[in-house]
């Protein structure tokens, strides 16, 4: 954890840097849920920053659900934080995690080119012999599955060979590179479990509750460009929505 100085202008920016250093420490040391974290004094000594900055850094971590405190006992690691996201915000899983400072592993389970099935033809407005790309991925946080995704979009969008493309990052950003810009989506939400074959493949309990978002993503002209199915782990990710009377 020894770091020679923490750059930044002002207490808040320095606190965010310290926050990131604490997250790195958690990952490097492989802390388990409930593990006691370094005290404020230990972090001050290790990083050469003020106690106020360290206290602010821990406050950020507590707000994000990564750390919890016990009066008189210290601060402890609470494993995967709950993600609370506004439902009206259109963002990919990669962007959602990055906004909370989370480092998720992103495993590509499969990437194939197929003729579209009936649902893909309806959602993407493609014809029967127009190939689509199907991408299946899983995002995990310290071994815990947070999101399983299945995405479909026209093969014509990607001018390169499939094996020449890095599919592990943000799909929105990748499509942007090829001139396809997702700006809105129509979303259906339901409580579901993972498909049985997926749960078996991932070694997951098939009864674990997930929130399934089925989305038709559209570009700036309203054309459907991406059809996605994202299973969000119910115990870790919460969406919020503002309703008006």
């Amino acid at each position: 954890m020894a770091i020679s100085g923490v750059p930044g202008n002002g207490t808040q920016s320095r606190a965010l840097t310290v926050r990131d250093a604490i997250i790195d420490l958690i990952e490097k040391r492989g802390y388990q849920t409930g593990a006691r974290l370094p005290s404020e004094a230990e972090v001050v000594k290790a990083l050469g920053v003020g106690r106020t900055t360290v206290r602010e850094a821990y406050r950020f971590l507590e707000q994000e659900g990564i750390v919890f405190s016990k009066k008189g006992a210290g601060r402890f690691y609470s494993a995967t934080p709950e993600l609370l996201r506004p439902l009206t915000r259109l963002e990919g899983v990669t962007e959602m995690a990055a906004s909370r400072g989370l480092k998720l592993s992103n495993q590509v389970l499969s990437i194939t080119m197929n003729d579209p099935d009936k649902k893909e033809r309806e959602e993407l407005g493609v014809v029967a012999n127009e190939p689509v790309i199907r991408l299946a991925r899983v995002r995990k946080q310290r071994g815990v599955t947070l999101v399983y995704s299945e995405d479909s979009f026209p093969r014509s969008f990607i001018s390169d060979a499939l094996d020449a493309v890095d599919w592990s990052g943000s799909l929105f950003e990748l499509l942007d590179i090829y001139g396809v810009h997702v700006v809105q989506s129509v979303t259906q939400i339901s409580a579901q479990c993972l498909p049985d074959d997926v749960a078996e493949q991932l070694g997951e309990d098939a009864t674990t509750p997930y929130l399934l978002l089925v989305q038709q993503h559209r570009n700036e002209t309203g054309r459907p460009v991406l059809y996605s199915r994202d299973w969000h782990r119910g115990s870790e990710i919460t969406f919020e929505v503002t309703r008006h009377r």
Side-chain angles (χ1 to χ4, degrees):
M1 187 175 175
I3 298 176
S4 57
V6 175
N9 298 317
T11 300
Q12 186 175 32
S13 62
R14 291 171 65 85
L16 290 171
T17 304
V18 172
R19 164 193 167 281
D20 291 343
I22 295 172
I23 290 176
D24 287 341
L25 175 70
I26 290 171
E27 294 181 342
K28 289 177 181 177
R29 294 188 179 178
Y31 280 117
Q32 300 298 310
T33 302
R36 188 179 185 278
L37 297 175
S39 66
E40 290 180 6
E42 291 172 325
V43 178
V44 167
K45 182 177 180 180
L47 300 184
V49 295
R51 186 178 289 269
T52 299
T53 300
V54 174
R55 188 174 296 119
E56 183 75 359
Y58 268 127
R59 185 178 68 82
F60 286 140
L61 292 169
E62 289 176 6
Q63 289 176 341
E64 295 165 359
I66 298 173
V67 169
F68 66 93
S69 61
K70 293 181 180 179
K71 189 173 182 179
R75 294 182 175 88
F76 300 83
Y77 175 48
S78 61
T80 306
E82 178 186 273
L83 290 174
L84 178 62
R85 308 306 300 159
L87 195 55
T88 53
R89 178 181 299 169
L90 177 57
E91 59 185 352
V93 176
T94 303
E95 292 84 1
M96 178 178 64
S99 70
R100 296 300 301 270
L102 298 180
K103 298 179 180 179
L104 304 185
S105 65
N106 188 347
Q107 181 184 359
V108 176
L109 300 177
S110 65
I111 174 72
T112 61
M113 183 176 71
N114 308 86
D115 287 335
D117 60 25
K118 180 180 179 181
K119 189 63 175 177
E120 289 169 329
R121 294 197 300 271
E122 292 174 352
E123 295 292 335
L124 295 172
V126 295
V127 296
N129 61 350
E130 183 177 353
V132 297
I133 292 174
R134 292 178 186 160
L135 173 64
R137 299 186 292 179
V138 60
R139 276 70 155 221
K140 295 185 177 184
Q141 170 78 349
R142 300 184 183 91
V144 177
T145 297
L146 289 189
V147 182
Y148 168 71
S149 302
E150 295 179 351
D151 298 289
S152 303
F153 52 94
R155 173 66 178 91
S156 59
F157 288 169
I158 307 298
S159 57
D160 296 307
L162 299 189
D163 58 5
V165 177
D166 180 6
W167 301 101
S168 63
S170 165
L171 186 54
F172 285 177
E173 292 180 1
L174 177 64
L175 290 174
D176 280 340
I177 293 173
Y178 290 94
V180 180
H181 308 296
V182 174
V183 300
Q184 63 176 308
S185 73
V186 176
T187 306
Q188 295 180 340
I189 306 164
S190 61
Q192 301 281 343
C193 296
L194 289 173
D196 290 341
D197 59 331
V198 174
E200 183 178 359
Q201 181 181 7
L202 299 178
E204 293 281 338
D205 183 344
T207 64
T208 299
Y210 281 77
L211 192 62
L212 172 61
L213 273 63
V214 178
Q215 303 185 84
Q216 182 198 68
H217 300 276
R218 301 171 179 175
N219 66 7
E220 59 271 23
T221 67
R223 175 191 174 185
V225 294
L226 172 65
Y227 172 52
S228 66
R229 286 80 67 207
D230 299 319
W231 285 259
H232 298 258
R233 195 179 193 92
S235 61
E236 311 297 341
I237 301 176
T238 301
F239 293 93
E240 63 178 7
V241 61
T242 300
R243 303 200 302 169
H244 299 280
R245 183 177 178 182

